[in-house]
Each structure stands twice: as C-alpha cells, then as structure tokens.
Amino acid sequence: MDPLTAVGLAANVLQFVQFAGSLIATGNEIFHSAQGATADNLILDNIYGKLETLSEKLGNKGRMTTPTTEQERTIAALATQCKEDCSELLGVVRKLRVDGTKNRRWRSVKASLRTVWDGRRMDAMESRLERAQRILSLHIIGATRETISTMSETVNALKDQGDRLNINQSSNFDEIRQQLDHVRQEISIVQRASEHERDQHLPLSISPQDIDGLVERLRQVVIAERNIAKEQDVLANIDYEQRSARHEDIPESVENFEWIFNGEFAHWLEKENGMFWINGKAGSGKSTLMKFVAGNDKTYELLSKWAPGGFAVGSHYFWSPGSGMQKSLQGLIQSLLHDIFQKCPELMSLAFPQRWIQGIGGSAVVDQESWSEKGLCQALDNLAGQECLPIKLCFFIDGADELIADHIMLCEYLVRLTRSPNIKVCISSRPWVVFCDVFSEMQVQSLILHNISRGYISKHVRKRLESHPGWQILSAKEEDKEDFINSIIERAQGTFLWIFFVMRFLSTTLATDTLRNLRRRLDYLPSDLHDLFKVMIRSVDSIYYEDMARILLTAQHGDGPLSLHCTLS
C-alpha cells in the first residue's frame, strides 16, 4: 500500500467513524410529522444509502497492495473492523426499514437500534468507534508525513533525471515543492490540535473534509509527478544514437561570419516568417555557417524580437555518410521535436494529443519503437495547426541535399509548416535544380554563400601564405606573388573545402619550390571538388592501396561514422 492510499483510506475510516458515532451516540431525532412513517422511512433510506457508500469506500482496501509500515497496517486493520461494523449497521437499518410500522414513534436511531441489538453489542460498537477515533489522528499524521517524504524522494529523482536530459521543468518542480510545503504546514497544525485534544480528552476535531483536502492536494502532486515523468520519457525515447554527432563533427568557424547579421538574414530572423534558404556549392562552408548561426547569441537576440513571448530553436544536420537516421526525414523530425520539447515540454501534449490522453495515469505515451515517419510529421503538423502556441519555433536544417528521400516532398512539407505564423525554417543545401525550382516558385528568400565567401577566402589564403616561412623567402616579384594568390582565390570559386586541401597540398613544397613550380602544381589540381578527391586518392603511394581500399569500403558500408579505433584496426 503506498502512503497516499493509506491517507485516503484513513479519510474513509474517519468518515465512517464520525457518521456511525453520530448515529449511535448523539442520536438523530426522528419525529413523526404530518407525513407519518413516510418521513421515518425517508431518513432511514438516507442513512442506508450513506452506509452503503461508506461500505464501498472501506471495501476498496481489498484492491490495495499489502501494507508495509506499522501505520499502514494499523489503518488497514481499522478499515477492516469498520467495514464489519458498517455491514452490521446496514443489516440493522435494512431490518428497521422493513419492520417499521406507521404508528411506531422513534425517539432516536440509537433507540431504534436497541430494539434490534442488545446493549452489549451496542456498547461494544461504541467502544470500537471511540478507540478508532482516538488513534486515527496519530496515524493520519504519520501516513501523511510518510507520503510527503516519499513524494519528495520521487521529486528529487525526477529532478536528477531532468538535469541529465537538460529538459526545462524548473517551474514544475517549484510548484510541486510549494504544494508539499503547504501540506507540511497543514499537517503540523493538525498535529498540534490533535495533541491538545488528546491531552484534554476532547473529541477529535479533524474532519473527513480536512483529510480529503490533504489527499486531493497530494493527488495533484502525484499527477504533476506523473506528467513530469511522461515528459522525460518522451524526450528520452524520441532521442536517438548519433543525433548530435554531425553537429559535433562540424568544426568551429575559423572565419568571421558576423556579416550574416548585417543583411536580409538578420531582418528575416527579427521580423519575418516563412523560410530562408542558404545555398552554396559543396565545401563552401554551409554547415559551418549553419552551426555558427544556430548557436549564436545574436541569433537568439534577433529571434527574441520576433517572438517576445518566448521561442525554441530546433536543428538538424543531414549527413549522407552517417547512420540511417542522420539522413532520413524521420531523423529530421525527431531531432526538431527533441530540441523544442527540451525547451518547452508543454508542447508534447499538443503534438501528441491522443497519445497524451491515453498516457494519463502513469503509462508510457510512446516507446521508441513506435515512432513512425507519418506520426512524427503529424506531430509537427499538429503544432503548426495551433492558433496559439506557448512559444514560437525556429528550425535550422543543414544539408537538405544529403537527405536520402524525396527532396520535393521535404521542401513542400517545410513550406507547409511555415504557413503557421509560429514556425519558421532556415534551410541550407547545394543549389540543385529541385531546390531552385521549389524555392523559386514559393518565393523563398535566399543567400548564395559561394558568391559571398570570396572575400573571406582571400583573407584566409593570404593569412596562410604570409604566415609560412617559405613564402617569406620565396624569390619572386611582389606582383607575381599577388597574381598567384589571385589565381588560387579564383580557382576556389567560393569553396572553403577546396581551399583547405589545396593550401595543404601547396604548403608541402612551399619552402623548396619556385613560384613557377607552385603555379604548375596549382594548375594541376582540378577546380571541381569531386575531381580533386580523385587526384588526392591517386597521389597515395601504391603500397597503401590495400589499406586505403579497406578503409574506404568499411566507411561506405558502415552504419555510421567510423571511430578512430575502427579505422586503425
């Protein structure tokens, strides 16, 4: 028997004790009126109905688990005895209802009972009721304190789990602790009053309504704890392995991307809805920029003006070499839901209304195996369909071209979501025709990254060369050096990844080569990134071909990114 159940049962016992005591000790006067015996029977019917209700409440103990503490065992024993007494009273009242005559004049229920029972049975019941009333207050107080202690332990465990999940539930825990403190204060008042009444041999003043009030407050705490546990369960189950792996693998920006906050993108963050498309060639720095933007304080400052009532940011980084979830629509939706649920758990009941209702009572809303792409998309649709959300939502989706699915379907789905005034999406991809066509037709704002990156690539190339000792001693005219730098920048076509590999390639002979040979090396390298990779593979010494082939095949057919240990072994 859990402590809260014990307190509830104690309230039922107290209700019976006080009602039965009033019947026997005080006596309910039943006088004939103009209605005669009809009035008598009416009162007896009311008494009978009340006793039936109390009998049913006391009988609920049979469906409870075995008592584990002395207080629970005492309350359970009292309930058993009161159930038996209630059954006896029901039998007596039933007999009075049947045997009562029109001309009989009852002075009290007690007098009526004595016509059915002998004095010893009546006195024995009175004694049992008085005993139950004397000891009940002590055990009600003890059981309530035990309930509060158990609930406090549960709250602490949930708080620890919430901290591990990084879920925003602080206000929920504050409210629960306030409720428990309030109950502690009330039970302290009851305890002081009970001790005084016991010392003065006074009747117990606590009423069943007082206990019912305590039980109801504690039940509300239980419901709040279950909701917190459900929110944590959903967040834990909607997560998946490698969800954040791609984000963590993207290097931090070595370039200054602050320029992104000086134009149309900043205006979109601050004032507009809909979508914003960042497109660029492979290796142009889209992922690095998206990571920079999604986690930048300036982004959050601008979004706070768009959503003064609060907002949540969700992000996903598609990655075709990664696991199935990292390149699927289902992985995208789970990532976005995970992020916004972490910030605003209240959204769960709006996203999964039917499942949330079915989960009331402590059962799980959903387990990890039951997520489906259709159901997850519907969850976001449910949020988009709300006229008013607790907070607004901004999603950052990187590498949409790496989705292994229908790209048109993805674009149309996201455009549909952003028709909601509460949701907007920033998406990045290569400038494939499918994205150009859909986003052009939908009049989505865009930014072409490789056109903007030229100036930053120029700074990067000059910095790398000028910091290299070989460049300082290179025997060549300054204008020829400048022409060589411009050739590198022009060949890059705004692609940071191409620059990264080419600069490493040129740096290996920068200290020994002439400028003429450096230019030949540059001309030898293809401008296309895919062709550049072919050159790099062909440049590997033939004695390493077998090892290289093994690593590449393992990476190609693996379920996810390779660990360093796997690569070396």
Side-chain angles (χ1 to χ4, degrees), residues 66-82:
T66 304
T68 56
T69 67
E70 184 62 33
Q71 287 162 348
E72 291 176 4
R73 284 190 287 271
T74 301
I75 292 172
L78 286 173
T80 299
Q81 182 59 61
C82 288

Side-chain angles (χ1 to χ4, degrees), residues 103-157:
N103 297 321
R104 185 172 296 170
R105 184 180 181 86
W106 301 107
R107 294 295 300 171
S108 69
V109 175
K110 181 175 181 180
S112 304
L113 292 174
R114 287 192 180 278
T115 66
V116 181
W117 280 355
D118 58 41
R120 284 178 297 179
R121 288 182 68 186
M122 183 70 67
D123 293 340
M125 178 172 286
E126 281 188 287
S127 177
R128 288 195 300 272
L129 293 174
E130 289 173 1
R131 174 181 174 275
Q133 194 169 26
R134 282 197 308 271
I135 66 175
L136 198 55
S137 63
L138 177 64
H139 292 288
I140 286 175
I141 292 167
T144 304
R145 291 193 184 281
E146 188 176 342
T147 300
I148 294 172
S149 176
T150 301
M151 288 181 171
S152 297
E153 291 176 2
T154 301
V155 168
N156 291 336

Side-chain angles (χ1 to χ4, degrees), residues 311-329:
F311 64 91
V313 169
S315 61
H316 181 72
Y317 298 81
F318 283 111
W319 199 26
S320 57
S323 65
M325 289 291 283
Q326 288 177 291
K327 51 191 173 186
S328 69
L329 180 60

